[in-house]
Amino acid sequence: MQLKSNMTEFILLGLTQDPVRKKIVFVIFLIFYLGTLLDNLLIIVTVKTSWALGKAPRMIADTLLKKTTISFSECMIQVFAFHFLFCLEIFILILMTVDHYVAICKLLHYTTIMSHRVCGVLMFLAWLGSCVHSSAQIFLVLGLPFCGPSGIDHYFCDLQPLLQLACTDTYVTSLHLVLNSGAICTVSFIMLIAEGSKKALSTCISHIMVTIFFFGPCIFIYTRPATTFCTDKMIAVLYTIGTPLFNPLIYTLRNAEVKKAMRTLWSKKLISDDRR
C-alpha cells in the first residue's frame, strides 16, 4: 500500500552550518556566478557584434540565511530542471563529438552529413531524451512517502539526498536511479572516450577536458546506491558551479575565430574611446 507524503517543505542544510564558513561560501559562489555571467555575456556580445561569427542565485542567497527552506513543489521543479539541463548537456557533448568526427574524418561529405535538417532532428531528439529522463526522475520521487525528517543534507534538491528522507525502503528506487542517471553518465562517457580512437577527441584537447571535468563527478555521484558521503556536496560543486563557469572558457574562448573577433571588438572600443 502506497503511503501518502505529508511533507510540504524541506530544509536545505547547505555545505556548512558554521556562520563564518557560510560567508566564505557566499563569496566563493558569488565570484563563480559573476564569472559565469561575465564570460557568457562576453561571448554573446562578441557573436552579436561580429560579422565573422554570425541553480545559482538561490544557492548564493541561501548561504546568508540561518535557516533555508524550499517547498516540496519547488524542490520537484528543481530536480526536474537540474536533470533536464544535465542530460541535455550530455547529449550536446555527444553531438559535438559526432560533429568533430565527421568534420575530421569525412570532411568532403561534412555539409551533406551534418545538414541543417539533420542537426535540427538531432537537437530535437536531445531535448526529447532529456525531457523523458528528467520526467522519469520526478516520477521516482513522487512515488515516495516523506513523513520526516525534512532536512536535506545538500545545498540543492537532488535525488540521492531526497531518498535518504523517504520513510520507506528505497532500494528499488535507488536501483532505478542508478540505471537511469548512472547509465546515461557511464555509457555517454564511454562513447565520448571511444570517439578518441577515431580522432575526434584526440585532436580536441578542450573536449577531453570538458568530458573528464563533467563526467568524473557525475559518474561518482550517480553510479552507486543512495548513500551520502561527506565529499558528495563538494563534488557536486564541480558540475553545478564549476562546469558553467569553465565551459565557455574551454570551448569558445579557445576558438581562433572568437579570439580574433574579440580582438577586433576590443580594438574598435579603444578607437571609440580615443575619439571621445
Side-chain angles (χ1 to χ4, degrees):
M1 179 179 178
Q2 180 65 56
L3 298 176
K4 184 178 179 181
S5 174
N6 59 5
M7 193 71 65
T8 59
E9 66 178 20
F10 297 102
I11 300 173
L12 294 173
L13 301 181
L15 290 173
T16 178
Q17 294 296 303
D18 183 79
V20 176
R21 292 182 179 178
K22 289 180 74 173
K23 290 182 173 61
I24 295 174
V25 171
F26 166 77
V27 174
I28 295 173
F29 275 21
L30 182 61
I31 292 173
F32 271 69
Y33 181 62
L34 293 178
T36 302
L37 290 180
L38 180 62
D39 56 30
N40 281 282
L41 179 62
L42 181 61
I43 292 166
I44 292 172
V45 171
T46 302
V47 172
K48 286 292 185 182
T49 56
S50 172
W51 290 99
L53 294 175
K55 261 158 216 241
R58 170 66 191 254
M59 291 189 298
I60 295 172
D62 284 350
T63 58
L64 295 180
L65 301 176
K66 290 184 178 180
K67 184 178 180 181
T68 57
T69 60
I70 183 171
S71 69
F72 184 86
S73 58
E74 288 177 331
C75 183
M76 295 302 101
I77 292 173
Q78 192 174 72
V79 171
F80 180 89
F82 173 76
H83 281 272
F84 176 82
L85 297 174
F86 162 83
C87 189
L88 183 61
E89 183 169 1
I90 289 178
F91 289 148
I92 289 176
L93 284 172
I94 294 174
L95 294 181
M96 290 176 65
T97 304
V98 173
D99 181 75
H100 291 162
Y101 168 71
V102 175
I104 295 170
C105 300
K106 299 182 183 295
L107 179 60
L108 298 178
H109 301 284
Y110 177 81
T111 54
T112 303
I113 298 174
M114 300 301 294
S115 63
H116 289 293
R117 182 175 178 275
V118 172
C119 291
V121 171
L122 291 176
M123 282 306 302
F124 171 76
L125 292 176
W127 280 76
L128 180 62
S130 302
C131 187
V132 171
H133 163 75
S134 51
S135 297
Q137 304 294 72
I138 287 294
F139 287 134
L140 286 176
V141 179
L142 290 178
L144 296 174
F146 296 95
C147 44
S150 61
I152 299 177
D153 190 16
H154 218 298
Y155 61 94
F156 69 96
C157 281
D158 199 9
L159 295 174
Q160 294 280 20
L162 276 175
L163 292 182
Q164 300 295 316
L165 305 182
C167 45
T168 186
D169 183 18
T170 60
Y171 175 78
V172 175
T173 304
S174 177
L175 183 61
H176 288 162
L177 171 62
V178 172
L179 293 176
N180 193 351
S181 296
I184 288 178
C185 291
T186 306
V187 173
S188 299
F189 180 73
I190 293 173
M191 288 175 61
L192 290 170
I193 295 300
E195 287 297 326
S197 62
K198 299 178 181 179
K199 303 180 182 179
L201 281 179
S202 61
T203 58
C204 303
I205 301 300
S206 59
H207 211 53
I208 296 175
M209 293 169 61
V210 171
T211 300
I212 296 175
F213 187 72
F214 180 73
F215 282 97
C218 294
I219 291 174
F220 176 81
I221 295 293
Y222 294 109
T223 56
R224 56 183 172 78
T227 54
T228 302
F229 296 154
C230 60
T231 57
D232 282 4
K233 288 185 285 188
M234 296 309 301
I235 291 175
V237 171
L238 291 177
Y239 60 84
T240 57
I241 301 296
T243 300
L245 174 66
F246 293 114
N247 270 9
L249 297 174
I250 292 173
Y251 276 126
T252 313
L253 300 184
R254 291 187 73 255
N255 185 282
E257 291 184 356
V258 173
K259 289 190 287 188
K260 181 180 178 181
M262 286 183 175
R263 284 194 293 267
T264 303
L265 178 63
W266 184 251
S267 300
K268 290 180 179 178
K269 185 180 184 305
L270 291 177
I271 293 174
S272 176
D273 291 340
D274 290 340
R275 289 178 178 176
R276 292 177 184 176

